[in-house]
Amino acid sequence: MKHVTLRLDEAPTVVDAGIAVHGVSTSHDVFRLPDLWQLHLYHYEGALSLGQSVHPIRPGHVSLVPPNTEVHFHYRGRSEHFYVHLRLHDGGTARVVPVMQDAAAESTHLADLLRHAVTAMPTSPPRATAEVWSALWRIAELPRGEGAGRRHPFVAAAQAYVEEHLAGPLSVPDVARAVGISHTHLTRVFRAETGLTVVSYIRHRRLQRARHLLLSSTLPITAVAAAVGIADLQAFNKACRRELGASPRDVRAAAAQAGWTAEARTRAPSRRHASAADGVSSLGVTPSGYGPDHE
């Protein structure tokens, strides 16, 4: 077994988390967890065998083993690792990841997350679950070879930079410089992976954030424009019409009207109150103040 399939759209159920010490009384352990996944972050050298597959263990390596899988651990003396025993839900997007990965620089972040999970488990299982879920997402997105189902690392780095700087000036050379590659190289790999130019992606993400702020906040439109890096109100209006199909004011108004409609439906009069409602309709007036033709 070289790869496993994770589904992380829902939080896992963490059953136990801790720091295990092996290799003291025996150099070889064999066991399985019939109903639980095993997550390990290693601090030693050894080997993990699953069937015919042998995976070297090194400090900073992380492994994920599915339920009911017999594991053979081979130790070289005292061996310590973080462990989490958990259940994953069946629904959501499937993500294929290697059983064993070198977390490299990410191992420090993973260790912090798992350490927090271990200390939180006795008193706050929801906090432990949150830490483990975050660790699982980091593991699922560790860099690895092409064809393994992961985003191109330069594209991932570019998208992360864009998300962190949406409120300020952004240009393709800025993004390329932050990623550490040439403008031409970034343009080529970004379009090959996403189907978009970097400029189109930046515009799309700015306007998606603007849409969220227009629909979910009472920020003035000028403040929304500034918050997504488009300080010029005329340019913001034009971008909204092109990307969202309506002006900022109309986007917000449509959401408000939709909210009123949903509220009105939940408060619809019962049959015993119908006569009162019919009386309003007979005057050609609806609760919105418009005539029937505008409902």
Side-chain angles (χ1 to χ4, degrees):
M1 180 186 296
K2 295 184 178 181
H3 292 85
V4 294
T5 300
L6 304 181
R7 299 179 188 274
L8 302 178
D9 291 8
E10 295 183 53
T13 300
V14 177
V15 177
D16 193 23
I19 298 175
V21 177
H22 297 278
V24 177
S25 60
T26 179
S27 62
H28 180 211
D29 280 332
V30 183
F31 63 92
R32 70 177 73 214
L33 300 184
D35 302 312
L36 300 174
W37 283 80
Q38 302 178 52
L39 162 60
H40 292 158
L41 178 63
Y42 302 97
H43 304 307
Y44 58 88
E45 294 190 1
L48 167 64
S49 299
L50 305 175
Q52 300 300 312
S53 299
V54 179
H55 304 276
I57 295 173
R58 301 287 184 271
H61 281 201
V62 60
S63 68
L64 280 163
V65 177
N68 204 32
T69 301
E70 184 172 277
V71 296
H72 292 247
F73 281 99
H74 303 271
Y75 311 110
R76 303 177 184 175
R78 179 185 170 89
S79 303
E80 185 176 298
H81 61 236
F82 285 107
Y83 74 88
V84 181
H85 298 162
L86 64 146
R87 292 187 179 92
L88 293 177
H89 297 278
D90 293 333
T93 304
R95 294 172 173 82
V96 178
V97 303
V99 166
M100 183 76 72
Q101 297 187 77
D102 181 0
E106 190 69 14
S107 64
T108 301
H109 300 297
L110 291 174
D112 288 341
L113 290 168
L114 296 183
R115 188 176 296 108
H116 290 317
V118 169
T119 57
M121 194 66 198
T123 57
S124 182
R127 167 71 186 275
T129 294
E131 302 287 359
V132 171
W133 197 11
S134 181
L136 287 169
W137 274 106
R138 286 179 176 269
I139 292 166
E141 296 186 343
L142 286 172
R144 53 188 184 271
E146 295 297 324
R150 175 180 160 77
R151 292 180 299 163
H152 193 293
F154 290 148
V155 174
Q159 290 174 324
Y161 183 84
V162 168
E163 291 302 313
E164 293 172 10
H165 296 84
L166 278 181
L170 269 174
S171 68
V172 180
D174 290 337
V175 179
R177 217 168 9 251
V179 173
I181 59 177
S182 72
H183 169 261
T184 303
H185 189 184
L186 176 62
T187 300
R188 183 172 63 254
V189 298
F190 199 95
R191 185 155 201 165
E193 176 141 330
T194 68
L196 298 171
T197 65
V198 180
V199 171
S200 296
Y201 179 80
I202 292 171
R203 182 173 61 244
H204 173 72
R205 290 300 302 136
R206 287 195 199 277
L207 272 296
Q208 287 302 305
R209 183 168 294 181
R211 182 178 182 276
H212 164 70
L213 293 174
L214 289 169
L215 299 183
S216 304
S217 78
T218 59
L219 278 172
I221 289 173
T222 52
V224 172
V228 299
I230 309 177
D232 182 271
L233 196 56
Q234 185 175 356
F236 181 60
N237 271 275
K238 184 177 179 181
C240 277
R241 290 180 186 277
R242 180 173 56 228
E243 188 77 23
L244 305 180
S247 69
R249 191 178 303 278
D250 288 343
V251 170
R252 177 167 277 174
Q257 179 64 25
W260 178 89
T261 301
E263 183 179 1
R265 286 173 179 167
T266 62
R267 298 182 180 180
S270 63
R271 183 170 296 277
R272 63 193 177 89
H273 294 126
S275 60
D278 290 345
V280 174
S281 296
S282 68
L283 298 176
V285 178
T286 67
S288 64
Y290 295 111
D293 293 342
H294 294 272
E295 288 187 280

